[in-house]
Amino acid sequence: MKYIILNHFIIILYLFCTSDSISQTPPYYHYTSSEGLASSQVYEMMQDREGYMWFATANGVSRFDGHKFTNYSTKDGLNTNSIICLTEGNKGEIYFGNEKEDFNIFDNGKIRKYSYQTEQNHIIIGMLTDGDKLYSYYDNNLS
């Protein structure tokens, strides 16, 4: 009788100890252009304050709401379809950096040109915001 109780105790102890040590893989999804992404070549991605995922791609910008993609291109006002980087401003606007001399800004559902003074023919490779200021990194220079 003691052995049966001891065996049950060991089995129960084993089940409790191993249940926490089993690794779990979080869900992972791989999206491509066949699922609606503007391009399978993604340069940068971010999540905005409303929860949308934004993707800077070789063929425009994609916004993902968790179910479907909405794509933006030159037809919607982008300077070029090759978007290198993106960042969110302090009021929720989204800035798109591209291979042209100007940014684009997505605000209130519309894309418009955002001009700045710089030397020509520089590719923007990074952006960040600090309060009302927008900083861009391009060709080894900070503007």
Side-chain angles (χ1 to χ4, degrees):
M1 183 67 173
K2 288 182 182 181
Y3 292 110
I4 295 174
I5 294 173
L6 182 62
N7 282 341
H8 287 296
F9 176 76
I10 291 172
I11 291 171
I12 291 171
L13 182 64
Y14 175 76
L15 290 175
F16 280 118
C17 292
T18 58
S19 66
D20 289 338
S21 65
I22 298 172
S23 72
Q24 296 180 5
T25 304
Y28 173 78
Y29 302 101
H30 183 88
Y31 295 107
T32 64
S33 55
S34 62
E35 284 86 27
L37 189 62
S39 170
S40 294
Q41 187 173 359
V42 175
Y43 299 115
E44 190 171 39
M45 61 184 178
M46 62 159 261
Q47 185 174 16
D48 69 13
R49 63 184 67 190
E50 295 179 10
Y52 292 110
M53 291 297 300
W54 291 85
F55 300 88
T57 78
N59 197 28
V61 175
S62 293
R63 183 178 75 176
F64 186 62
D65 65 5
H67 301 285
K68 66 179 179 120
F69 288 95
T70 302
N71 297 314
Y72 302 95
S73 67
T74 54
K75 295 176 185 176
D76 302 298
L78 291 176
N79 294 340
T80 179
N81 282 330
S82 185
I83 305 300
I84 306 300
C85 55
L86 39 85
T87 191
E88 183 175 15
N90 66 341
K91 296 176 185 156
E93 70 277 20
I94 309 295
Y95 294 92
F96 307 132
N98 54 53
E99 295 178 346
K100 300 289 184 187
E101 62 186 73
D102 295 319
F103 294 106
N104 287 114
I105 182 171
F106 181 85
D107 194 17
N108 295 321
K110 295 187 180 192
I111 297 173
R112 60 183 166 88
K113 190 175 184 176
Y114 182 82
S115 297
Y116 67 100
Q117 296 290 329
T118 187
E119 298 174 27
Q120 300 222 356
N121 300 323
H122 288 291
I123 298 173
I124 299 166
I125 57 174
M127 295 185 302
L128 61 96
T129 56
D130 182 24
D132 289 334
K133 295 181 181 178
L134 173 68
Y135 298 95
S136 63
Y137 183 76
Y138 63 100
D139 286 353
N140 300 323
N141 295 310
L142 189 64
S143 64

